[in-house]
Amino acid sequence: MWWFQQGLSFLPVALVVWSAASFVFSYITAIVLHHVDPLVPYISDTGTIPPERCLFGIMLNISAFLGMATMYIRYKQVYALSPEKPKIIKLNKIGLTLGLMSCFGLCIIANFQKCILYYVHVVGACLTFGVGAIYMLVQTVLSYLMQPEIHSKDIFWIRLTALLWCCSSIVSMFVSSVVLYSGLYGTNLVQKLHWDPQEKGYTAHIISTVSEWSLAFSFLSFFLTYIRDFQ
C-alpha cells in the first residue's frame, strides 16, 4: 500500500496538489497569452481574462470543496480523539466554523474577479486568508493541547512555523497594498495588469504580489501537515 492510500491521507494531498495546479495552470495560460507580466503577477490577475478565468474559477471551486472535506474530517478526528475534553471540543467547533467560512471565501475569489467586482473579491480574500489564518491558529493551539498523547511536539512546531509564515505574509501584503493603492502612484491600479519596472509604485507592487504567492503557499504547507494525521 502506497503512503497516500493509508486512511484518508489522499484528501490533504489532493487539496494541496489541486490548488497548486490551479495557480500554476492559470499563470502559464495567462503568460502564454500575454495577459499578465511573467514576473510575479497577482494570483487573481492570472484568473481575470478568459480563457484562464474559466480554468481558475472551476479549479478553485473544486479546491474549496476539497478544503471543506479536509476540514470536516479533521474536525471529526479531533472530536473522536478527545471526546471528554471540553476546551478541545469547543476549539474544534470554532475551527470547523472558521474553516468553512474560509472555503466560502475561496468560492467568492473564484467567481468574482478582481477587475470586475473588486470589493466583493476583497471580501472573499479576507475570508479566505484572514479567517483562514485564524483557522490555522486554532489548529495550532489544538496541536499544542493534544500533545504528547495525540500529537508530537514536532507537528506543533511545524504548524506554528507555517502559521508565522502566513502571518508575516499577510502583514507584508497588507502594508505594501496600502502603500500601492494610497493614491501616490496613480488611480485605477486595480485594473492594471502590466507593469513597467521603471514606473513609480513598481517596488510596492512586487512586494505585494510576492507576499500574496507566499501567503497562498503557506496555507498549502499547513495542510500538508495533515497527511500523517489522516493516515
Side-chain angles (χ1 to χ4, degrees):
M1 179 180 292
W2 295 93
W3 61 269
F4 56 82
Q5 293 177 299
Q6 298 176 26
L8 292 173
S9 59
F10 68 89
L11 260 181
V13 173
L15 171 60
V16 171
V17 172
W18 184 269
S19 299
S22 68
F23 301 148
V24 173
F25 290 163
S26 298
Y27 169 79
I28 292 174
T29 305
I31 293 300
V32 169
L33 297 177
H34 305 289
H35 290 162
V36 296
D37 297 323
L39 183 60
V40 202
Y42 280 114
I43 296 175
S44 299
D45 286 348
T46 66
T48 296
I49 302 174
E52 62 265 23
R53 181 171 73 187
C54 307
L55 180 67
F56 186 77
I58 192 169
M59 291 190 74
L60 279 193
N61 282 324
I62 294 174
S63 290
F65 173 77
L66 291 172
M68 288 189 291
T70 300
M71 292 169 179
Y72 180 72
I73 295 300
R74 173 63 179 166
Y75 163 78
K76 295 295 288 185
Q77 180 190 48
V78 172
Y79 182 81
L81 293 174
S82 305
E84 299 177 355
K85 297 183 178 179
K87 182 185 293 187
I88 291 180
I89 291 175
K90 183 177 180 180
L91 276 175
N92 194 31
K93 290 179 179 179
I94 293 173
L96 177 63
T97 302
L98 292 170
L100 295 180
M101 289 173 62
S102 179
C103 291
F104 177 67
L106 188 59
C107 287
I108 294 177
I109 289 176
N111 296 289
F112 295 88
Q113 286 74 36
K114 171 187 168 187
C115 293
I116 299 175
L117 291 168
Y118 175 71
Y119 292 106
V120 178
H121 186 84
V122 168
V123 169
C126 290
L127 285 173
T128 302
F129 296 121
V131 176
I134 303 174
Y135 170 81
M136 291 170 63
L137 172 62
V138 170
Q139 291 300 326
T140 302
V141 172
L142 283 173
S143 299
Y144 177 79
L145 294 175
M146 295 172 71
Q147 63 176 345
E149 296 88 355
I150 308 299
H151 286 302
S152 66
K153 290 183 179 180
D154 291 341
I155 285 294
F156 165 71
W157 286 111
I158 291 172
R159 287 177 182 164
L160 180 60
T161 301
L163 173 62
L164 294 175
W165 176 14
C166 170
C167 292
S168 62
S169 298
I170 289 176
V171 172
S172 174
M173 183 178 175
F174 177 77
V175 173
S176 57
S177 296
V178 168
V179 171
L180 182 62
Y181 297 115
S182 63
L184 296 174
Y185 306 111
T187 58
N188 204 31
L189 295 181
V190 172
Q191 308 291 332
K192 191 177 180 66
L193 298 179
H194 296 279
W195 286 78
D196 188 327
Q198 305 303 319
E199 288 182 277
K200 292 182 177 179
Y202 182 76
T203 300
H205 166 72
I206 288 296
I207 293 174
S208 181
T209 56
V210 169
S211 299
E212 185 185 48
W213 282 91
S214 174
L215 177 58
F217 281 96
S218 70
F219 268 71
L220 298 184
S221 298
F222 187 86
F223 285 108
L224 283 177
T225 67
Y226 282 180
I227 293 176
R228 180 60 180 167
D229 294 333
F230 280 32
Q231 285 178 332

